[in-house]
Amino acid sequence: MNQAHPIIGIIIGIIVGSTRPGRNALAVAKWATEIAGSRTDASFEMIDIADFGLPLLDEPFSALASARMGREYTQPHTKRWSDTISRFDGYVLIAPEYNFGIPAALKNALDYLHAEWNDKAAGFISYGSNGGVRSTAQLRLALAELKVATVVPEVGMSLYTDFENYSVFKPAEVHTQQVHAMLDQLVSWSSALLQVRGKAHA
């Protein structure tokens, strides 16, 4: 994990939503983390789901059932993932679009947990042939079930204009402004939801 800016208070996790070899998501996440690092209203850390080695969901109970039983996870990778996600007040999901939808690795990572996501906020940076909008749309539905408030501003980038040869990330300058617009609302909502969770500002 890469910490961008060590500010106390709100902590936002920037989640790399693909584990594919040669993935573009890692470059996008590093770019977003660098932009976020210029802010002083929150701390930002990059979370790479590839670092957690999550297989297809292998817990004997669903995440919701585990939450109701006090998060009695059985697998070490689940416990590590839970501990990591629990530390954050909000999230930015780096979400490529695969076949009109969410990357399987990202959906699997979401499904591992439930209570850890609850009453927090999330924003999106997506990319694909049409800006990744269908991936984001599906994520909004999944996160609603996890009781995550998703902010309206989002960043959508094109594989045709923001990537050279579909692999070298060269984002248009306008996207920097879009990232800040999304983070403005994300930090605000993440701060407000601290009270819902009964958590005071640091």
Side-chain angles (χ1 to χ4, degrees), residues 14-127:
I14 299 176
I15 300 177
V16 184
S18 170
T19 59
R20 178 183 64 81
R23 58 203 164 137
N24 290 316
L26 190 57
V28 176
K30 289 178 178 178
W31 167 79
T33 304
E34 182 177 350
I35 293 171
S38 68
R39 301 175 65 98
T40 59
D41 54 354
S43 296
F44 300 88
E45 292 183 29
M46 194 172 75
I47 308 167
D48 190 347
I49 58 177
D51 291 340
F52 292 83
L54 298 173
L56 285 176
L57 185 58
D58 60 350
E59 288 288 337
F61 301 102
S62 71
L64 180 58
S66 294
R68 289 173 175 169
M69 294 185 295
R71 301 187 204 172
E72 295 179 355
Y73 299 126
T74 64
Q75 301 294 341
H77 49 258
T78 311
K79 295 174 183 178
R80 182 171 170 242
W81 180 235
S82 172
D83 289 343
T84 298
I85 292 303
S86 295
R87 293 194 300 106
F88 295 93
D89 301 302
Y91 311 92
V92 175
L93 276 63
I94 308 299
E97 182 178 306
Y98 289 177
N99 298 315
F100 278 38
I102 308 168
L106 178 55
K107 183 61 166 63
N108 186 53
L110 291 174
D111 290 344
Y112 257 92
L113 310 175
H114 195 281
E116 296 86 343
W117 303 112
N118 291 177
D119 300 320
K120 297 180 182 179
F124 306 98
I125 299 176
S126 61
Y127 60 89

Side-chain angles (χ1 to χ4, degrees), residues 145-156:
E145 181 64 19
L146 293 171
K147 302 200 315 187
V148 175
T150 56
V151 302
V152 174
E154 61 184 63
V155 183

